[in-house]
Amino acid sequence: MLEDWTVIITACLVAASCSIIGCFLVLRKMAMVGDAISHAVLPGIVIAFMMGGKMGSWYLLVGAAAFGLITTFLIEFFNKKGGVQQDASIGVVFTSLFAIGIILISLYTRNVDLDQECVLYGDLDSVYLELQEPFFGFMIKPTIFQLLVLLLVISTLVIIGFRGLALTTFDPAYAATIGISVMAWHYVLMGAVSISTVISFNSVGAILVVAFLITPAATAYLISSKLIPMILLALLFGVTASFLGYLLAYKINGASSAAIATVLGLQFVVVFILKLFKDKIVLLNRNAGNR
Amino acid sequence: MNEHLNILDFILLREANVRYVVLGTMLLSVASSVIGCFALLRKRALVVDSISHSVLPGICLGFILSGTKDPLFLIVGAVITGWLSVYFIDIITRYSKIKADTAIGLNLSLFFAIGVLLLTVIQNSGNPNQAGLSDYLFGKAAAIVLSDLYVFGSLAVIIILAVVVFFKQFTLVSFDLHFAKTIGLPIKFYEFLLSILTVIAVAIGIQTVGVVLMAAMLITPAATAKYWTNDLRKMVVIAAVIGALSGVVGVFISYLFANMPTGPWIVLIFSMVAVFSIVFAPEKGIFAKYFRQKKNKKKMLEDNILKAFYKLGEHDGDFFKKRSAEELIMARKFKRSLLLKGLRSLRKLNLLTKVNDSFVLSRDGMAAGARITKIHRLWEIYLTKYLRVADDHVHDDAETIEHIITPDLEKRLEDLLQYPQEDPHNKQIPY
């Protein structure tokens, strides 16, 4: 029973942080840059591991954030200076960095507590096995503690920087004229994506984290384009999918992270179809009214 | 000792098994690089990424339904789910306000999640046949055996042949959809053919590269080839050669290390070739572009200095008077350091000489200054007379074009305008 709740709470925390960040990615048409970053932080994680870092250590955060920013920079560099078309630039950069990460893992597999499959879909179910450690007087599992801090940081960032983030998202030209640095917010957001990916890494892996980032935000976007309702809806979808996904994984005996990501996708499909029907009814009513 | 023997075995293709692996990898790489060129040109690079993640559930379903790892069943499954993801992306972007990038990311992660879910379910089920199924994540070229080679190889050959046969149609669909439509080409059919061939290339490629990095097999060689030619025919051939060679090198490296997946190595070799090309390729590389820009800037600076000399000479009625740097800066706002640099290179070309701290045009230098001024003024006339641009708007345009006009164009401009005496601002035109 406690095991179930540990996994569900962990999943909810990952989903919450990722959904918030994801809304900005979707609105800025940067979903695939987010995807690229989540793959490309892998070498940063492995190098930090090799230098003796543990999951959640400062090494790891710095390494990952650095690689996240390097990715963004490289994509733009090859695109602007090298003349590689945007989509190909994203594809070439993240596959290269991810390949380097996997090679490093394979070469140093004896010294590093990482395996290739864990990289892809994490190990949500193992969070329960972690020993509890004291943080500020509370006994809590380290992964959960890190995720709580992440959620706190992300919410604070979005609340304090709401004006800057929103303006640079919806109207970058206007933001620039009133003196808000579009570039700075861009890199802040990319940094946030990198750090979320790293902290979520051992629970959901580098690839499935993309589902947590993009899918709830996309589902919410179908319902509302306004930022605040969109974020709240994305949170709702993320959290409910964590519950339902865990139940699914339990029923069919599969990986919880993958099951939750699947449910996130199914939520999108359901909302998408309902939206299609609604649009059709609206259209029919309008036609009937015109007659 | 044993290891050395292995290396030799590989290079000499002594073992039948190694021959299958090398041949298989080459065929797969060529097929995916060739079809990747069209995906790249149609700006489908990230759709390819979505396809490659989406074949995973297909493979798992193929295994669950057939109960075997027979490549045929797995490929059929892979093609179905791979193609579904292309279809879904299309549906989502067409029937909602969701943009392509979000639709791609969404599909990619959903299909991959379903794939991982099925994979873990299979692994937890204890089915003894499932061992090796997870090799499809990162690829294992060494696992190619003769029966696989027949299936993969023939599909690869079909892809290559299809590209050869439909080259013209594919080119039109990729480059000029509008024209293809007007000449009555069944676009829908060829677009479908291209996507299904892409999906098949991905489905057969994952044996060697794995689902996670398969996109690179299609995109990277194509993106690299683009740096070496502008001709699509050549681009496809270059991509195929890069694909085949890097594929084999990647397999060779992974052959040296036991338990090393092949995919990451192949992709890393691809990327190294790509980065080399992006930086060093003649004409299109970053270096080539940088040097060309530098050369152009130098030429423009020299031209502008000669023009300033000419302007001062015209004003004083003496083209060969000594001029100080300050005078030149007064005539045209040069940055001092740049001006001195330009003067130095003009001296090297014997277009001017230095006397104490001043500079004097040579005969050639005077002629060159006159020529630039002439072209500038002729162009101003051309713009006012033929393009009916107001005469106070023509100067900036002439400033740009004067550096580019070749002697040939210069001659035609003179003939067309019939050697006019004065420009729109009533200045003499020197011939």
Side-chain angles (χ1 to χ4, degrees):
Chain A
M1 196 50 204
L2 189 62
E3 182 182 349
D4 301 335
W5 282 107
T6 313
V7 175
I8 291 174
I9 287 171
T10 312
C12 285
L13 288 171
V14 172
S17 305
C18 289
S19 317
I20 298 174
I21 293 287
C23 288
F24 293 100
L25 288 179
V26 168
L27 288 171
R28 289 170 169 243
K29 304 188 190 72
M30 293 185 64
M32 288 313 283
V33 179
D35 174 62
I37 289 179
S38 68
H39 284 67
V41 292
L42 185 61
I45 293 178
V46 182
I47 291 170
F49 254 88
M50 280 158 38
M51 286 164 64
K54 278 194 303 192
M55 258 310 158
S57 69
W58 283 105
Y59 277 132
L60 215 59
L61 288 184
V62 173
F67 266 87
L69 297 183
I70 289 173
T71 312
T72 330
F73 170 77
L74 280 180
I75 291 173
E76 270 169 39
F77 178 76
F78 283 135
N79 181 222
K80 300 260 162 63
K81 297 278 169 188
V84 185
Q85 67 193 45
Q86 171 87 20
D87 59 339
S89 183
I90 294 177
V92 171
V93 169
F94 89 79
T95 50
S96 310
L97 290 172
F98 196 72
I100 291 173
I102 296 293
I103 289 173
L104 287 176
I105 291 180
S106 311
L107 287 177
Y108 298 97
T109 188
R110 277 173 230 102
N111 316 338
V112 178
D113 180 26
L114 277 174
D115 72 69
Q116 294 161 14
E117 284 167 33
C118 167
V119 165
L120 297 183
Y121 48 87
D123 200 353
L124 195 52
D125 304 282
S126 74
V127 176
Y128 178 68
L129 300 176
E130 281 182 356
L131 292 175
Q132 295 194 332
E133 284 173 27
F135 292 102
F136 305 112
F138 291 97
M139 292 301 281
I140 194 169
K141 298 193 186 291
T143 301
I144 293 185
F145 177 73
Q146 290 154 20
L147 285 166
L148 272 173
V149 174
L150 174 70
L151 183 58
L152 197 69
V153 169
I154 301 244
S155 332
T156 317
L157 174 74
V158 170
I159 291 168
I160 292 178
F162 190 81
R163 203 171 105 92
L165 274 171
L167 275 176
T168 53
T169 301
F170 288 110
D171 197 347
Y174 174 66
T177 51
I178 61 168
I180 297 176
S181 169
V182 180
M183 214 50 201
W185 282 110
H186 173 77
Y187 278 101
V188 165
L189 193 62
M190 294 302 112
V193 172
S194 319
I195 289 173
S196 312
T197 312
V198 181
I199 296 184
S200 317
F201 182 79
N202 61 341
S203 356
V204 297
I207 300 187
L208 286 185
V209 76
V210 181
F212 286 78
L213 280 168
I214 300 174
T215 315
T219 316
Y221 184 56
L222 282 177
I223 300 172
S224 172
S225 318
K226 289 207 188 83
L227 194 48
I228 294 174
M230 190 176 153
I231 291 177
L232 294 177
L233 280 168
L235 281 169
L236 179 72
F237 286 125
V239 171
T240 45
S242 303
F243 280 88
L244 296 175
Y246 183 74
L247 284 180
L248 174 66
Y250 183 78
K251 272 264 181 266
I252 64 173
N253 192 17
S256 307
S257 54
I260 295 168
T262 306
V263 172
L264 285 170
L266 294 179
Q267 284 177 335
F268 177 84
V269 174
V270 170
V271 173
F272 184 80
I273 292 173
L274 288 178
K275 184 101 196 317
L276 273 188
F277 274 118
K278 194 187 142 226
D279 289 350
K280 203 160 192 182
I281 289 166
V282 170
L283 204 69
L284 284 177
N285 283 344
R286 197 178 299 154
N287 286 348
N290 285 347
R291 230 174 267 154
Chain B
M1 186 61 211
N2 197 15
E3 200 146 289
H4 288 289
L5 211 67
N6 281 343
I7 297 170
L8 260 182
D9 279 347
F10 186 94
I11 295 170
L12 299 175
L13 301 177
R14 217 182 264 159
E15 274 178 40
N17 196 24
V18 177
R19 281 199 291 271
Y20 301 148
V21 171
V22 170
L23 186 64
T25 308
M26 278 179 109
L27 276 174
L28 297 176
S29 312
V30 170
S32 47
S33 321
V34 165
I35 203 75
C37 287
F38 295 98
L40 183 88
L41 291 174
R42 294 171 70 223
K43 304 228 163 25
R44 297 288 198 279
L46 294 173
V47 177
V48 171
D49 190 38
S50 176
I51 297 173
S52 61
H53 285 70
S54 304
V55 295
L56 187 61
I59 288 182
C60 295
L61 280 175
F63 175 80
I64 291 174
L65 295 179
S66 73
T68 65
K69 286 205 303 282
D70 184 330
L72 205 58
F73 288 109
L74 303 190
I75 286 179
V76 170
V79 169
I80 292 172
T81 51
W83 186 78
L84 269 182
S85 90
V86 179
Y87 183 70
F88 283 175
I89 291 171
D90 194 37
I91 294 279
I92 291 174
T93 47
R94 194 178 312 164
Y95 293 109
S96 75
K97 58 187 171 179
I98 287 186
K99 303 291 180 303
D101 66 319
T102 303
I104 292 171
L106 194 108
N107 263 283
L108 174 159
S109 54
L110 172 59
F111 276 91
F112 189 73
I114 298 174
V116 169
L117 188 60
L118 292 175
L119 190 65
T120 48
V121 168
I122 295 170
Q123 279 169 345
N124 294 343
S125 74
N127 183 337
N129 270 339
Q130 57 88 16
L133 209 56
S134 59
D135 283 339
Y136 285 101
L137 290 173
F138 291 110
K140 194 167 192 180
I144 298 182
V145 293
L146 190 58
S147 57
D148 298 338
L149 188 58
Y150 285 134
V151 179
F152 296 145
S154 41
L155 283 172
V157 171
I158 289 174
I159 292 173
I160 297 165
L161 281 180
V163 169
V164 172
V165 172
F166 295 115
F167 189 84
K168 215 188 242 165
Q169 288 87 335
F170 287 172
T171 311
L172 275 178
V173 171
S174 312
F175 272 121
D176 200 343
L177 212 55
H178 192 70
F179 178 66
K181 221 176 264 178
T182 48
I183 61 168
L185 208 64
I187 299 170
K188 280 263 170 332
F189 170 73
Y190 287 110
E191 279 185 331
F192 174 77
L193 196 58
L194 269 176
S195 19
I196 207 80
L197 289 174
T198 311
V199 174
I200 294 174
V202 170
I204 59 178
I206 52 170
Q207 168 92 36
T208 21
V209 187
V211 294
V212 185
L213 293 170
M214 187 59 210
M217 280 283 266
L218 282 89
I219 302 162
T220 313
T224 310
K226 231 178 141 185
Y227 274 81
W228 298 92
T229 178
N230 282 323
D231 180 342
L232 182 58
R233 242 167 243 283
K234 286 183 195 154
M235 176 177 155
V236 169
V237 173
I238 293 172
V241 172
I242 293 174
L245 291 181
S246 326
V248 172
V249 173
V251 169
F252 175 64
I253 292 175
S254 69
Y255 195 81
L256 295 181
F257 303 94
N259 294 327
M260 180 70 85
T262 25
W265 279 111
I266 296 182
V267 170
L268 189 63
I269 307 277
F270 274 165
S271 308
M272 289 198 279
V273 179
V275 169
F276 177 83
S277 304
I278 292 170
V279 177
F280 295 109
E283 289 183 42
K284 292 190 176 186
I286 291 176
F287 270 163
K289 260 191 231 159
Y290 173 76
F291 284 121
R292 200 164 50 235
Q293 270 174 7
K294 214 174 146 185
K295 215 178 118 193
N296 285 344
K297 266 197 195 135
K298 190 171 161 243
K299 166 95 168 51
M300 278 165 68
L301 176 66
E302 289 169 3
D303 285 356
N304 287 337
I305 294 175
L306 290 173
K307 223 167 43 165
F309 266 105
Y310 189 87
K311 190 177 165 192
L312 287 170
E314 212 174 29
H315 184 260
D316 298 348
D318 178 6
F319 291 108
F320 301 103
K321 203 173 148 185
K322 278 189 278 185
R323 307 283 178 194
S324 65
E326 281 67 33
E327 260 180 291
L328 290 164
I329 291 173
M330 292 270 274
R332 188 187 172 94
K333 286 182 197 102
F334 290 109
K335 228 176 105 189
R336 197 181 169 82
S337 55
L338 275 178
L339 175 68
L340 295 178
K341 219 169 112 189
L343 287 169
R344 231 174 293 141
S345 58
L346 284 169
R347 268 170 67 201
K348 268 185 215 141
L349 295 168
N350 287 326
L351 295 179
L352 51 82
T353 47
K354 191 175 178 184
V355 183
N356 297 328
D357 269 341
S358 304
F359 302 87
V360 180
L361 277 184
S362 69
R363 287 232 155 263
D364 288 345
M366 190 272 169
R371 177 177 175 262
I372 301 290
T373 312
K374 177 186 72 183
I375 293 174
H376 180 103
R377 291 176 184 171
L378 282 177
W379 189 257
E380 288 185 340
I381 298 179
Y382 177 74
L383 286 180
T384 45
K385 198 165 162 190
Y386 284 87
L387 302 181
R388 310 214 170 270
V389 180
D391 56 11
D392 53 342
H393 278 68
V394 292
H395 176 77
D396 291 338
D397 197 51
E399 277 288 298
T400 323
I401 204 87
E402 65 193 17
H403 309 289
I404 307 165
I405 295 238
T406 58
D408 190 39
L409 271 174
E410 180 187 342
K411 181 85 185 50
R412 288 177 61 178
L413 206 53
E414 285 171 347
D415 289 344
L416 180 74
L417 301 173
Q418 293 167 352
Y419 296 90
Q421 288 303 309
E422 287 186 342
D423 78 353
H425 310 108
N426 305 326
K427 290 216 175 106
Q428 284 287 324
I429 295 178
Y431 289 101

